[in-house]
Amino acid sequence: MPSSGSTARCRRAPHPRPGPRDGGVIEKDGKVEITAELPGLARDDVRVELADDTLVISGEKRQEKEQTEGARKVTERSYGAFVRSLELPAGIKAEDIQASMDKGVLTVTLPKAALTPREPKRIDIKAP
């Protein structure tokens, strides 16, 4: 389990292709920024969801290509899907998470809440 100062951890699905190429997880200026390269995928092909303390990035690409060569018709179909789960550090402000995609690069920005250190609390030990 990550401590309050750790960055997100990625658990990869068993299917390495197609999917996001290793992007980056950077913690700076009170926020965590996750980038993933998703070549060939449009914004509508990608989903970003938050479940508990886990950010899930998933997507799929379906493609069909037809060619006619004389009396012969050739149809090629391809399909690929991916899922990546990233365990988030403590203190993420879920309501302020933003995602954008530009030229095949997904960027997810996760603002961190200011964590105030707790005062030590003495716990009495009772006799049996």
Side-chain angles (χ1 to χ4, degrees), residues 2-11 24-27 31-35 53-55 57 85-90 92 108 110 112:
S3 66
S4 62
S6 68
T7 57
R9 296 181 186 167
C10 181
R11 292 186 303 252
V25 178
I26 300 170
E27 191 170 340
K31 62 186 173 186
V32 175
E33 190 172 275
I34 299 168
T35 57
D53 290 332
T54 303
L55 184 75
I57 301 172
S85 299
L86 294 103
E87 191 175 323
L88 300 177
I92 295 295
V108 182
L110 307 113
K112 293 182 78 175

Side-chain angles (χ1 to χ4, degrees), residues 1 26 36 38 41 60 69 71-72 80 89-90 102 110 118 120-121:
M1 182 170 278
I26 300 170
L38 304 169
L41 291 176
E60 67 179 25
E69 299 172 2
R72 196 171 115 179
D102 185 35
L110 307 113
R118 293 184 182 177
K121 179 183 175 188

